[in-house]
């Protein structure tokens, strides 16, 4: 049953530890120092730090926060889980200001939490789209403004994003590209699409050459106002772009180019795990938790200046 934010792991730090441990260590605690799984004891006692274990193989202490996005943060674990739930559950995203107000954090801390959480939402190294011989829609779009670039033409001064949607699974992948050119998009398309895929694009020249690599390449002719021909269309990927743009406009007004990939990861995650794909808020938060390991991000890396 969905409990929403009333679930105990959002309110008690002890419950939060139990919740995270069960997901990060499904087969029992693992020492992050030596990788040991045996002779590990939970440290007890009132003066002991919450969730502390000791590994008697390397004799070092550790908690489940080590080696994850939660490492070296003073924010209580149940507050982290609340932040993750809020970010995963809001369709268009949530600003650091809003998050700070809701959770009683400073804006700086809320900003840091959201960037780390976005990092947990980044799903690298997944199977290519279209392995079942299904349709994969690929399209490019332009958003925001590049720093120091004069406004010229329709998108010379904007940041380019390449989008891929696997129509059968309903999943999306979004990539920041320096420029939407054939040369830039080819490696991304080759890496993320199975050769069995039916590639669907518009008539743009940038897809011509790469199209020959796949089982089929069909293009709709947007210049001739053709948007759907049989099952050939790019309407799904364009729909994903429009959700992303609405969010960027409303919530993340001034996105620096160096942070764009994190915002893309956040939207990609939410889109790929939306209700239409059979995912609810709980599932989404659980999936996110599995992405927290090995995604440590220091303040410096997150691009903070203060
Ligand atoms: Zn150890």
């Amino acid at each position: 049953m969905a409990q929403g934010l009333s679930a105990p792991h959002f309110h008690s730090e002890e419950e939060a530890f139990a919740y995270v441990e069960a997901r990060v260590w499904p087969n029992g605690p693992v020492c992050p120092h030596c990788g040991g799984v045996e002779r590990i004891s939970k440290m007890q006692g009132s003066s002991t730090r919450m969730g502390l274990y000791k590994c008697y193989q390397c004799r070092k202490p550790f908690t489940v926060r080590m080696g994850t996005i939660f490492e070296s943060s003073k924010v209580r674990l149940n507050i982290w889980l609340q932040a993750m739930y809020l970010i995963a559950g809001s369709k268009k995203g949530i600003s650091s200001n809003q998050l700070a107000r809701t959770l009683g954090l400073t804006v700086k801390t809320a900003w840091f939490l959201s960037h780390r959480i976005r990092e947990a939402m980044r799903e690298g190294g997944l199977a290519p789209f279209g392995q079942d011989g299904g349709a994969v829609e690929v399209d490019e779009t332009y958003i925001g403004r590049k720093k120091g670039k004069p406004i010229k033409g329709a998108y010379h001064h904007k940041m380019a994003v390449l989008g891929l949607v696997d129509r059968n699974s309903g999943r999306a992948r979004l990539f920041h590209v320096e420029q939407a050119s054939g040369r830039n998009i080819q490696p991304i398309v080759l890496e993320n699409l199975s050769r069995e895929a039916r590639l669907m694009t518009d008539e743009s020249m940038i897809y011509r050459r790469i199209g020959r690599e796949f089982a089929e390449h069909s293009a709709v002719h947007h210049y001739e106002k053709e948007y759907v021909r049989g099952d050939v269309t790019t309407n799904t990927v364009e729909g994903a772009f429009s959700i992303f743009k609405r969010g960027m406009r409303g919530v993340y007004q001034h996105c620096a180019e160096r942070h764009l990939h994190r915002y893309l990861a956040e939207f990609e995650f939410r889109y790929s795990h939306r209700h239409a794909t059979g995912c609810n808020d709980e599932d989404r938060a659980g999936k996110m938790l599995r992405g927290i390991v090995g995604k440590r991000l220091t303040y410096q890396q997150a691009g903070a200046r203060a």
Side-chain angles (χ1 to χ4, degrees), residues 31-36 40 55-60 62:
C31 171
H33 306 291
C34 72
I40 290 171
C55 169
Y56 287 92
Q57 293 174 72
C58 70
R59 312 204 68 80
K60 286 182 186 146
F62 64 91

